[in-house]
Amino acid sequence: MRRVVACLSAVLLCACPSDVKHCAIDEDCGADGQCVVGVCALKNADGGGGGGTAGCSTPCSDSTECIAGSCRARYAAIEWRAPAQGGSIYSRMPVLRAELIRVDGGHAASNPQVALSLMPGTTSPFTVSGDQLTATVSVTEGTYTAVATFADAGLQSSALYFSADFSPPVLVARLLAAPSRRVTLDLTEVDPALADLYDSGQPSLPVYRRDELARVVLTSDKLLDAGSVQLDYWAVTEDDGGSSLPHTTNGSEGVSCPPGACRGAGFCQCFDLDVSRTPQLGTFGIYRGRVSASTAASAPATAPLEPFAVTRWKWRRTLVPAVDAGYAVALAPGLDSEGNVIAWARGVSCAPPCSPWSFGDVFAVRPNGDLKWRSTSQLVSDLPLPPIVGRATAYLPQLPLAGFNLFDGGTAPPASCSPPYGYFRALSSAALGTVGTPAQEHVLQQYVLAGAGELLYLAANRHGAACQVTWLGAASSSAVLDFTSPVAGAFDGQDFWTDVHGPAFDGGDLGVGRFRARANATFTLVERQADVTSVTSQLIPIADGGAWGVTGFNGEVDAGRLFHFASGTVDAFTPSMGRLGGAVGAVALPDRAWALFSDGNAGRLAELSATASSSRPLSPVYRAPPLLGRGGLLYLLGRSEVSARRLDGGADFPLLIPGANGGLANSPNLDCTRDDLGRPVPGRPGVLYFVSSSTTVPGEVRDVQLYAIVVDSAGIDTTAPWPMALHDPRHTNNAATDLAEFRCP
């Protein structure tokens, strides 16, 4: 039998059956071809789109295209995409969506005309983008039927039934469980004031720390307008009887929900509630909340949020367990660059008087309360100077003064502590090694971190003779200065400031001295001022070349004053604090300073600027140097509480510290909130660190404990030239130390 094949060169890219070129996509057919039903055809043979005639005897309509001389349909059906069949919409202007389904190998038309029939309603055209059809319609509450028609193609969709529902949604809001808290022999993360909530092991209310975010899960029977979600919460009660303003957060802050949180709900969204934004005057607060939301067309609905607690308590770690009697002592904690707390503490089981050269340990505690290391060598310190923290090495003013490695605590034992004169021992610093000792019987009074691995200290003769200033670094130098019993000391990057008095200064008058200190050079008195009213107990160098100073010791009547010293002259004094002669400490902004005074029973806070001075009484008595935090908050430590005082005159809020028992006597430290890797967390409150102990009362039992409390200041005030005791969290005692490294994000 004879087979005849017509080879149409105008249509197919072939000359005979054996030359038929098969294809999968248009690119298989070259620049002039297109793939049609698995066979390559010339593009100019297409009379589709309503315009072409080549290859087809009559032009093809918009719904067809010319294939092998015949007009073939482009589309097979119209299918609905939204809303769901039989579903509900919650908008007065909903968008209906459909799709043109092409035949196998078909190509999209250039301008298909597809109409929407909405009953009840009107007929309107769809907007076409490729095969996607959209139409925005106006509806009122009720039931609707929609049909899409492509008349030219002879296609009509199935009927879409939906209802418009403008009734308020039904909301359910709940809090996810707060993080679990650890309680061990040495560490507790449970706020003792809320311990009754944990009687069953799990708290009866969710308890969040003030530096955490409370995760709220919101579900609804209807699709909600995310921008309409409002979360409000307010204080039910606080331990100090204060009140809180409601806090509102907009639903645009929505976050993804953890697995399983939605439990099959139709609409589900999670939101983070920042519990640090509401003023919380006490250590903890109990809150209630409410969530409101609406659909795009409904009135708002509300749902209650279960009560929850917010605490400032972060953790408490026991450094030295309670001893039956004797000494329990700790020094003010320092901070390293990763936020680890460096503290020294000891407990001596003996009835006073014990040996004054009792040994203690140095501790490094991570921001989460875990112990990083504890020094293997017991270090003695009966001096009131906290550790200075460098980049890799910290220094402790012990007798002898020692350095230890921040990474593991060091291993070398200290030298003998008799006779009692101080020197520096660096256990892990190649730059310092073990350096020399000051003269016999000179006891360390002040020291500073002057630069990269350089230390400067002042030692005083215990028998009232001359003092010695020593610079320790790559090279060392020292000088004997003819004055006695210095108390204050600070560094401004160039000069060492201290109080001076003795025969060399006008027959024993009291004064302030500034000494130029350089390695391998003589220590020269640059400037002095006599006739300050009492021994200067603190000096704060400032940028104008002057200094703030505080005079007075406990028991000195009419001696306590805050003053400003510049160009050899005391140019401003506060009035005398009267019988409150004991100066506790001071902090300074560029244009003003504050000093704390106390006689052990009462206290006053003095303020001095270039134009005015004032003071106000304090209750209870605060015994530790103040700290100036970000946001204008001044932190003070009393016998058993921390108080945050607003410099703008706003409400103060005392934080009672469970278990402190009158032992808060050392200056605090302040840092950012940090994650488990020690990185600062942006936008979170700060953490205040302090120790409790300091007792020599026979028979009194007390642990040495390190506390971490969440406060509203995210770190120290880095705009202040001297925001805390010893200047900064690393205790460099150096006004030239750049505070930018302590700025919280």
Side-chain angles (χ1 to χ4, degrees):
M1 182 179 68
R2 187 174 178 184
R3 184 176 61 175
V4 178
V5 178
C7 293
L8 304 176
S9 61
V11 177
L12 299 180
L13 299 179
C14 66
C16 61
S18 61
D19 293 329
V20 172
K21 186 173 182 180
H22 297 277
C23 58
I25 57 176
D26 286 347
E27 284 73 8
D28 295 338
C29 301
D32 297 329
Q34 61 180 335
C35 186
V36 180
V37 197
V39 177
C40 290
L42 292 174
K43 288 181 179 178
N44 62 12
D46 183 3
T53 59
C56 290
S57 57
T58 58
C60 298
S61 68
D62 195 46
S63 63
T64 62
E65 56 185 332
C66 184
I67 302 296
S70 301
C71 292
R72 293 182 52 180
R74 298 176 185 268
Y75 303 103
I78 304 174
E79 295 182 357
W80 287 105
R81 295 291 179 253
Q85 184 67 259
S88 297
I89 59 172
Y90 309 106
S91 169
R92 298 181 186 276
M93 297 291 291
V95 177
L96 306 187
R97 303 180 186 278
E99 182 178 359
L100 289 169
I101 306 302
R102 290 188 234 166
V103 299
D104 185 22
H107 297 81
S110 60
N111 186 28
Q113 302 296 310
V114 184
L116 167 67
S117 298
L118 186 65
M119 298 165 287
T122 59
T123 299
S124 59
F126 275 103
T127 298
V128 181
S129 176
D131 297 329
Q132 305 302 311
L133 311 175
T134 58
T136 301
V137 297
S138 175
V139 297
T140 58
E141 201 162 13
T143 301
Y144 290 84
T145 303
V147 175
T149 303
F150 190 176
D152 185 61
L155 297 176
Q156 190 174 75
S157 71
S158 60
L160 173 66
Y161 303 99
F162 64 92
S163 60
D165 183 356
F166 301 158
S167 62
V170 177
L171 307 179
V172 177
R174 61 187 178 88
L175 287 163
L176 292 181
S180 59
R181 309 298 181 198
R182 297 177 293 172
V183 178
T184 67
L185 183 63
D186 298 326
L187 177 71
T188 178
E189 296 179 324
V190 172
D191 184 349
L194 298 175
D196 58 325
L197 299 180
Y198 289 83
D199 287 344
S200 61
Q202 293 295 325
S204 54
L205 297 179
V207 179
Y208 297 94
R209 284 201 319 254
R210 193 165 170 79
D211 60 348
E212 294 175 334
L213 298 172
R215 183 67 56 88
V216 178
V217 182
L218 176 63
T219 59
S220 171
D221 63 331
K222 298 179 174 66
L223 180 65
L224 299 178
D225 175 9
S228 73
V229 178
Q230 300 287 329
L231 291 88
D232 304 285
Y233 67 95
W234 57 93
V236 176
T237 180
E238 289 184 321
D239 62 347
D240 67 342
S243 60
S244 289
L245 300 174
H247 167 66
T248 298
T249 182
N250 189 273
S252 61
E253 299 175 11
V255 296
S256 59
C257 294
C262 293
R263 299 176 183 175
F267 172 88
C268 180
Q269 180 65 68
C270 287
F271 302 89
D272 280 339
L273 195 61
D274 187 351
V275 298
S276 71
R277 295 183 182 177
T278 294
Q280 180 178 324
L281 302 184
T283 305
F284 73 90
I286 306 297
Y287 297 87
R288 290 185 181 275
R290 176 183 58 236
V291 181
S292 64
S294 64
T295 66
S298 74
T302 61
L305 194 62
E306 61 193 294
F308 60 97
V310 178
T311 177
R312 293 182 181 273
W313 182 275
K314 193 174 179 74
W315 47 260
R316 179 184 66 205
R317 171 168 282 280
T318 298
L319 300 180
V320 178
V323 294
D324 294 337
Y327 292 94
V329 182
L331 297 175
L335 291 171
D336 69 13
S337 58
E338 295 179 347
N340 299 306
V341 186
I342 310 299
W344 177 92
R346 75 155 190 251
V348 182
S349 182
C350 67
C354 291
S355 166
W357 317 123
S358 304
F359 289 104
D361 283 338
V362 180
F363 300 81
V365 180
R366 300 184 190 277
N368 65 359
D370 289 341
L371 184 65
K372 182 178 182 181
W373 51 257
R374 178 174 182 169
S375 63
T376 56
S377 301
Q378 288 194 317
L379 303 173
V380 64
S381 181
D382 274 9
L383 299 170
L385 301 175
I388 281 182
V389 183
R391 296 297 181 187
T393 306
Y395 305 93
L396 178 72
Q398 68 152 20
L399 299 174
L401 193 146
F404 49 92
N405 187 292
L406 285 178
F407 299 103
D408 59 15
T411 57
S416 168
C417 60
S418 179
Y421 53 83
Y423 65 90
F424 290 89
R425 174 179 292 273
L427 303 183
S428 304
S429 172
L432 281 173
T434 300
V435 296
T437 67
Q440 180 89 1
E441 295 294 304
H442 279 70
V443 178
L444 184 72
Q445 294 292 319
Q446 296 289 341
Y447 72 149
V448 302
L449 189 64
E454 295 178 321
L455 290 162
L456 174 66
Y457 74 87
L458 175 69
N461 191 292
R462 302 180 71 220
H463 302 295
C467 297
Q468 176 167 307
V469 179
T470 301
W471 181 290
L472 304 174
S476 300
S477 64
S478 64
V480 176
L481 306 174
D482 190 14
F483 61 92
T484 59
S485 303
V487 176
F491 193 61
D492 64 8
Q494 180 173 347
D495 298 329
F496 190 88
W497 293 73
T498 185
D499 59 307
V500 292
H501 44 93
F505 294 99
D506 300 330
D509 285 344
L510 305 172
V512 174
R514 183 157 65 97
F515 295 86
R516 187 64 45 84
R518 279 292 176 267
N520 296 322
T522 302
F523 288 77
T524 305
L525 178 64
V526 178
E527 183 178 48
R528 69 168 297 276
Q529 167 65 33
D531 301 326
V532 292
T533 58
S534 174
V535 173
T536 301
S537 58
Q538 184 178 354
L539 283 164
I540 298 175
I542 52 180
D544 63 4
W548 301 99
V550 185
T551 65
F553 280 89
N554 195 16
E556 288 187 291
V557 178
D558 291 330
R561 284 180 171 85
L562 173 61
F563 66 90
H564 182 262
F565 170 75
S567 301
T569 303
V570 174
D571 57 16
F573 262 115
T574 60
S576 167
M577 297 297 107
R579 66 182 178 85
L580 304 178
V584 177
V587 294
L589 285 173
D591 61 343
R592 66 191 60 227
W594 291 264
L596 184 62
F597 297 87
S598 173
D599 67 354
N601 297 304
R604 293 190 75 85
L605 182 66
E607 179 180 353
L608 179 65
S609 68
T611 58
S613 67
S614 64
S615 68
R616 55 171 167 163
L618 295 177
S619 179
V621 177
Y622 297 101
R623 304 186 299 168
L627 184 148
L628 186 57
R630 185 173 169 181
L633 291 173
L634 191 67
Y635 294 93
L636 307 172
L637 265 63
R639 290 183 178 274
S640 300
E641 74 174 45
V642 177
S643 178
R645 296 186 173 263
R646 300 186 185 279
L647 298 180
D648 61 5
D652 301 337
F653 46 95
L655 312 175
L656 297 176
I657 307 303
N661 298 327
L664 305 183
N666 294 297
S667 56
N669 215 322
L670 182 58
D671 194 21
C672 319
T673 292
R674 294 178 181 264
D675 62 19
D676 290 341
L677 298 178
R679 299 170 301 193
V681 180
R684 309 312 304 140
V687 181
L688 193 74
Y689 297 101
F690 52 92
V691 291
S692 71
S693 64
S694 303
T695 179
T696 57
V697 179
E700 184 171 338
V701 177
R702 181 174 298 160
D703 294 341
V704 179
Q705 296 176 324
L706 174 64
Y707 290 83
I709 301 295
V710 180
V711 294
D712 292 348
S713 297
I716 61 171
D717 185 346
T718 55
T719 67
W722 200 279
M724 60 179 289
L726 299 176
H727 183 261
D728 55 72
R730 292 199 288 115
H731 293 162
T732 67
N733 203 20
N734 184 351
T737 299
D738 189 355
L739 294 179
E741 69 173 280
F742 308 107
R743 186 177 298 123
C744 297

